[in-house]
Amino acid sequence: MSGSGARPAAYGVMPADTTEDVRARGAGGSRQVAVLPVGSYEQHGPYLPLATDTLVACAVAREIAAAYPVHLLPPVTLACSHEHAAWPGTVSISSVTLHAVVRDIADSLRRSGVESLVVVNGHGGNYVLGNVVQEASARGERMALYPAAEDWEEARQRAGVETSLLTDMHAGEIEASILLHAHPEFLRPGHESADFTADDRRHLLTTGMSAYTESGVIGRPSLASAEKGKRLLAGLAENFAPYFRLLTAPEEPTAPRG
């Protein structure tokens, strides 16, 4: 972890950098890394906002930008939320469009001298982001998708989150905790009594979320706390270290150990 790039990373969800900040960071001589939060705009029950996944992705990206000398980008706020179409307010774009948007951003960054891109994904339904990173890596470009399931699991355990990643599927303990810490102004009353579990979701892609929950919640938000949210974000920032080393290595990147 490096504090050399420490700075007020963002106001709310928007980066606070000026063009001179970016110029100064690039003058350091090491490979530049950009961090792109990707969220969604979809239902999160009656107490979390439609923008929850975007707010979570931005919170993770801000923690990274506060600890590492990276170029923080504004979020992609609309993504692939088709499984939530039964609820009012949900807006989706196609996986093809999301793929093209992220690839265009990576291309633009490389033209300006930023060689590496980390996509911080806040929505599990953005499956296509894995393909974007795989294809970019096959072309010899430097790109990573963060956090991996292993990063979430390690952060979950260190933060004292009680719900498993299987049970904590949507609008549960993790998301409510992060918003209680990072954006409490967006959380409405009701999460304390909204627990609902549905661990067997094998037909989710066929039926959508409405086949498994009436409220839109799958998880145990009653267990959420701001302290857990703070520890989750700290753990995810710590887990980013091997990604940063991999993407800034002078040689062709190889998978880090541990």
Side-chain angles (χ1 to χ4, degrees), residues 43-124:
Q43 71 83 20
H44 276 76
Y47 53 87
L48 289 176
L50 294 160
T52 292
D53 290 340
T54 299
L55 293 170
V56 168
C58 287
V60 174
R62 284 199 307 270
E63 288 289 315
I64 291 171
Y68 304 86
V70 299
H71 179 32
L72 181 61
L73 299 173
V76 176
T77 58
L78 299 178
C80 303
S81 301
H82 310 283
E83 69 272 27
H84 299 277
W87 282 271
T90 298
V91 180
S92 290
I93 59 176
S94 72
S95 60
V96 174
T97 300
L98 182 57
H99 189 297
V101 167
V102 175
R103 183 168 179 177
D104 282 356
I105 290 170
D107 289 345
S108 177
L109 287 165
R110 283 193 303 277
R111 287 193 295 271
S112 66
V114 181
E115 300 178 28
S116 301
L117 175 64
V118 178
V119 180
V120 174
N121 182 31
H123 171 48

Side-chain angles (χ1 to χ4, degrees), residues 125-147:
N126 290 336
Y127 309 111
V128 71
L129 295 177
N131 299 115
V132 177
V133 173
Q134 286 179 321
E135 292 168 16
S137 300
R139 293 191 297 269
E141 301 163 12
R142 294 192 177 218
M143 193 181 295
L145 183 62
Y146 189 77

Side-chain angles (χ1 to χ4, degrees), residues 93-258:
I93 59 176
S94 72
S95 60
V96 174
T97 300
L98 182 57
H99 189 297
V101 167
V102 175
R103 183 168 179 177
D104 282 356
I105 290 170
D107 289 345
S108 177
L109 287 165
R110 283 193 303 277
R111 287 193 295 271
S112 66
V114 181
E115 300 178 28
S116 301
L117 175 64
V118 178
V119 180
V120 174
N121 182 31
H123 171 48
N126 290 336
Y127 309 111
V128 71
L129 295 177
N131 299 115
V132 177
V133 173
Q134 286 179 321
E135 292 168 16
S137 300
R139 293 191 297 269
E141 301 163 12
R142 294 192 177 218
M143 193 181 295
L145 183 62
Y146 189 77
E150 295 84 353
D151 299 306
W152 277 115
E153 178 60 22
E154 291 176 9
R156 181 191 73 80
Q157 292 184 21
R158 289 200 295 265
V161 171
E162 299 177 46
T163 320
S164 71
L165 293 181
L166 173 64
T167 298
D168 193 61
M169 187 260 187
H170 192 70
E173 185 178 4
I174 287 176
E175 291 183 322
S177 291
I178 290 176
L179 260 69
L180 279 168
H181 167 64
H183 292 287
E185 70 276 13
F186 285 109
L187 196 73
R188 300 188 185 186
H191 72 278
E192 305 88 347
S193 58
D195 290 6
F196 182 81
T197 59
D199 285 356
D200 187 344
R201 304 183 295 270
R202 68 187 72 189
H203 302 299
L204 177 66
L205 296 181
T206 301
T207 63
M209 283 279 290
S210 60
Y212 295 97
T213 171
E214 292 184 6
S215 67
V217 177
I218 297 180
R220 301 177 65 192
S222 67
L223 300 174
S225 72
E227 182 59 30
K228 288 178 183 178
K230 180 180 180 180
R231 293 198 297 261
L232 278 164
L233 292 174
L236 290 172
E238 182 177 344
N239 280 6
F240 185 72
Y243 292 82
F244 185 75
R245 291 195 300 268
L246 180 66
L247 293 172
T248 56
E251 302 85 14
E252 189 68 21
T254 56
R257 295 181 180 180

